Amino acid sequence: MAYAHDMRARTATNCQDVAATQLVDILLVEDSHAEARLIEALLTQSRNPRFRVTRVAEAHAAQSHLTHGTAVDVVLLDLNLPDSQGLATFSCVQRVAPQVPIVVLTGMGDESLGLEASRLGAQEYLIKGSVRADLLIRTLRFAIERN
């Protein structure tokens, strides 16, 4: 009996080790240093998967990264950036990487913008200031799975 219990425990541990090695690459497009740090802190609460974040602060930098940089699994995109505003931000990022799922970040008063971005192809939108770790992690995972 002790052997069967030990095997189940070892198998469970091995499965957890394999799952814990999953790494999700995120391109975070956010011009606010404080917002970016908050999102990165929320993502560190995930054990499975682990997230590696590359941050850029402008839409043209996101386009460049998606065109010439390393592959990403998902884009987390603020719609209001210094060089692009609103749905134009979503469109210019989606145009260069239509195969990459995009989760949009909107301000408190911009929920309609998030909905419209979803209609145009964003996987989901999140409202800044109301994002919790569990919601952020689940949203990113589902965006990747649905894509």
Side-chain angles (χ1 to χ4, degrees), residues 51-147:
F51 295 98
R52 179 171 44 207
V53 178
T54 300
R55 178 181 168 236
V56 297
E58 296 179 335
H60 78 272
Q63 288 177 306
S64 179
H65 183 83
L66 290 166
T67 304
H68 307 293
T70 58
V72 299
D73 297 303
V74 64
V75 175
L76 193 52
L77 177 66
D78 180 9
L79 291 178
N80 293 311
L81 300 169
D83 64 339
S84 184
Q85 300 289 308
L87 294 174
T89 306
F90 173 76
S91 295
C92 77
V93 171
Q94 185 188 42
R95 187 173 37 252
V96 298
Q99 74 285 0
V100 178
I102 300 173
V103 174
V104 168
L105 295 168
T106 66
M108 291 291 222
D110 293 336
E111 189 169 354
S112 62
L113 213 55
L115 285 169
E116 187 59 30
S118 293
R119 285 188 203 101
L120 294 174
Q123 289 293 318
E124 187 62 78
Y125 72 94
L126 296 169
I127 300 170
K128 290 183 185 182
S130 63
V131 177
R132 301 178 324 269
D134 60 332
L135 175 62
L136 176 61
I137 293 162
R138 184 172 55 246
T139 298
L140 292 171
R141 290 178 79 173
F142 287 168
I144 294 165
E145 291 300 319
R146 282 193 300 258
N147 198 41

